[in-house]
């Protein structure tokens, strides 16, 4: 049983490596604060399919209008499919 189980995780690890190197990994970030939002933006800029989730509706609406609450600069979230 252990051999089958450990083989399963080895395959998962190899599959994840392949998805990351080919940019086919889907990245979801929960909470779009000071750490998570810049990470999400950087993953999107690198070509990953990203999804950001936050319960703060005001924040989400600002991001939909390309208003980054962490910076004075506008960021085109739609361009990167965030």
């Amino acid at each position: 049983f252990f051999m089958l189980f450990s083989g399963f995780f080895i395959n998962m690890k190899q599959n994840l490596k392949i998805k990351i190197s080919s940019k086919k990994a889907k990245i979801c970030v929960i909470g779009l604060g000071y750490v998570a939002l810049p990470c999400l933006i950087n993953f999107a800029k690198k070509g990953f399919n990203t999804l950001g989730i936050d319960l703060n509706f005001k924040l989400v609406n600002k991001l939909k209008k390309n208003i980054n609450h962490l910076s004075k600069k506008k960021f085109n979230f739609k361009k990167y499919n965030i």
Side-chain angles (χ1 to χ4, degrees):
F1 174 76
F2 179 72
M3 294 298 286
L4 292 173
F5 195 67
S6 63
F8 172 76
F9 283 110
I10 290 171
N11 287 335
M12 280 181 48
K13 185 177 177 182
Q14 289 170 342
N15 288 338
L16 182 59
K17 282 182 179 182
I18 291 168
K19 285 183 178 185
I20 290 171
S21 64
S22 66
K23 308 250 169 104
K24 292 185 179 182
K26 296 177 184 175
I27 298 174
C28 177
V29 176
I30 300 172
L32 299 174
Y34 291 96
V35 174
L37 184 60
C39 288
L40 185 73
I41 290 170
N42 285 322
F43 279 121
K45 283 182 175 180
K46 295 290 183 182
F48 287 96
N49 184 3
T50 58
L51 174 66
I53 299 173
D54 201 293
L55 294 177
N56 183 336
F57 293 115
K58 289 180 183 179
L59 170 65
V60 171
N61 286 329
K62 283 183 179 181
L63 294 174
K64 284 182 179 180
K65 295 176 185 174
N66 294 326
I67 299 170
N68 183 348
H69 65 287
L70 304 178
S71 172
K72 302 261 189 246
K73 299 177 192 174
K74 282 201 168 195
F75 182 81
N76 189 348
F77 291 94
K78 292 176 187 169
K79 176 182 175 184
Y80 294 102
N81 201 24
I82 297 178

